[in-house]
Amino acid sequence: MTKTELSFIIPALNEEMHIGGVLDTIKENVGTRFSYDVIVVDNGSRDRTVEIAGNKGALCLHAPGCTISALRNLGAAEARSEILVFLDADVYLGKDWGGRIKSVMERLFSHPDIITGSLYGVSEENNWIERVWFAPRTTLTEINYINGGHLILLKSLFLKIGGFDPELETGEDYEFCSRARRMGAQIENDPGLHVVHAGYPKNIKHFFGRERWHGRGDYKSIGTLMSSKPALVCLANISLAVTCAVCMVVGWQPWPVYGVIYFLFLAGVSLAASVHRSRSEFTPDFGRIIFLYMIYFTARSLSLVDVVMMNLSQVMKKV
């Protein structure tokens, strides 16, 4: 039997729109270069995701009701290769991915403590949110985690780290890479491994919802909160918002004063974050970046509210 050189692990839920195209890009990039297997771990899709994936040669595992972390762990357990490629079901390999992966594989075997992959690129049919917020990240060199939707490492390192935390609904890739760094692993973004994420938000409503969802992972524990600078900013934001709301009712100043105070704080931290992100280079999009940071911090602050309310609900059920 030919040795499997690459294992692609793809969690999926109702991804019939993308899964076929994603598997096609895998075949186009590595089908004639390397032996590989694809494990699609389905979370209970009600569309044709499993049918399409199966018809294109993927091994399909059924795991309804699991977190995305658990899905990835299940796929890794079935992988036949020593090199694991974690890929999301709406992340397409770029046309040069296959030409680049050989040198990446060689580097992983010579430096087995490396976690690589790349930060998602945007599609040609991109919008201003994708261009301003997401596209500039693809070439970053100083990073502390790789998105779980395009993360590559040796299976031996994956097992040594202990896999993804199956209890996390989101933020599992950041937590995984944090554990890996504490064990001495290196995180490397490789822009040559170009991928395109079709699931980026197309409007402010979707951007807000995305950040509100992803922010929940920062509040799993005091440790995760204290290790996340955005989470600490959002904690301060929530505290100030509550204080201003109380002062509007019982304060000694006219209520608009407190609204202005809160707005100036949110605008100020968004400005500071934008300057840091842009490395003090004031581009024509700088104002849009500030605006998106204001949406970002608001959404991430509401994530904290969501987590608190969910925990209170669980406590009440036990009473």
Side-chain angles (χ1 to χ4, degrees):
M1 181 181 291
T2 303
K3 180 181 178 182
T4 304
E5 297 170 285
L6 291 167
S7 286
F8 293 86
I9 300 157
I10 306 176
L13 176 63
N14 298 325
E15 292 285 0
E16 67 176 6
M17 181 181 297
H18 297 294
I19 191 66
V22 170
L23 295 182
D24 286 343
T25 63
I26 293 175
K27 183 177 181 180
E28 291 164 5
N29 274 276
V30 302
T32 60
R33 293 183 170 105
F34 307 100
S35 61
Y36 69 96
D37 60 343
V38 178
I39 302 103
V40 172
V41 192
D42 184 68
N43 199 209
S45 296
R46 297 183 178 181
D47 60 7
R48 297 179 58 244
T49 296
V50 174
E51 176 188 348
I52 294 170
N55 289 339
K56 290 185 177 290
L59 169 65
C60 296
L61 306 179
H62 302 275
C66 293
T67 63
I68 194 169
S69 299
L71 299 177
R72 291 189 174 120
N73 291 343
L74 288 170
E78 293 292 327
R80 297 193 306 236
S81 171
E82 174 59 8
I83 295 182
L84 305 181
V85 182
F86 291 97
L87 200 66
D88 276 356
D90 58 356
V91 173
Y92 295 74
L93 302 187
K95 62 181 181 179
D96 297 326
W97 195 95
R100 174 63 179 164
I101 192 61
K102 182 178 180 181
S103 61
V104 172
M105 293 163 66
E106 292 171 349
R107 178 159 172 73
L108 287 176
F109 283 123
S110 62
H111 297 80
D113 61 342
I114 288 176
I115 296 174
T116 188
S118 68
L119 304 178
Y120 309 139
V122 302
S123 66
E124 294 181 359
E125 299 78 26
N126 56 65
N127 59 65
W128 73 271
I129 297 175
E130 292 175 286
R131 291 193 299 272
V132 170
W133 188 262
F134 297 105
R137 288 178 47 81
T138 59
T139 57
L140 291 178
T141 55
E142 296 181 10
I143 60 171
N144 51 22
Y145 83 105
I146 292 285
N147 299 107
H150 186 224
L151 184 148
I152 307 170
L153 77 169
L154 296 183
K155 188 173 184 177
S156 55
L157 178 58
F158 178 80
L159 295 175
K160 180 181 177 182
I161 297 167
F164 293 98
D165 184 343
E167 299 299 320
L168 287 179
E169 292 184 70
T170 184
E172 75 290 339
D173 41 16
Y174 180 85
E175 192 276 338
F176 176 82
C177 289
S178 295
R179 261 188 293 131
R181 291 200 314 275
R182 291 195 295 271
M183 297 175 63
Q186 301 176 52
I187 315 297
E188 295 185 357
N189 176 40
D190 188 340
L193 291 169
H194 178 63
V195 296
V196 171
H197 185 211
Y200 275 143
K202 306 301 181 185
N203 53 51
I204 292 298
K205 179 181 178 181
H206 291 158
F207 178 78
F208 181 91
R210 178 185 189 274
E211 296 306 328
R212 185 173 182 178
W213 167 256
H214 282 293
R216 293 181 181 181
D218 285 342
Y219 308 112
K220 179 191 175 186
S221 66
I222 296 297
T224 56
L225 189 157
M226 297 303 294
S227 65
S228 171
K229 291 180 182 178
L232 292 174
V233 171
C234 291
L235 180 61
N237 185 46
I238 285 288
S239 300
L240 181 61
V242 171
T243 301
C244 288
V246 172
C247 289
M248 284 181 180
V249 178
V250 301
W252 298 274
Q253 299 294 330
W255 69 265
V257 171
Y258 302 105
V260 171
I261 290 172
Y262 173 74
F263 176 82
L264 289 176
F265 171 80
L266 181 60
V269 295
S270 299
L271 172 62
S274 300
V275 170
H276 177 73
R277 180 191 183 99
S278 303
R279 292 177 172 80
S280 301
E281 295 179 5
F282 299 97
T283 67
D285 289 320
F286 191 72
R288 287 181 168 184
I289 297 173
I290 296 174
F291 172 69
L292 287 175
Y293 262 117
M294 294 179 73
I295 302 297
Y296 171 88
F297 285 125
T298 301
R300 294 275 174 141
S301 297
L302 284 176
S303 297
L304 175 57
V305 177
D306 293 338
V307 171
V308 170
M309 295 305 294
M310 285 188 294
N311 288 336
L312 285 176
S313 177
Q314 291 174 1
V315 170
M316 293 302 294
K317 288 179 180 178
K318 295 178 180 179
V319 174

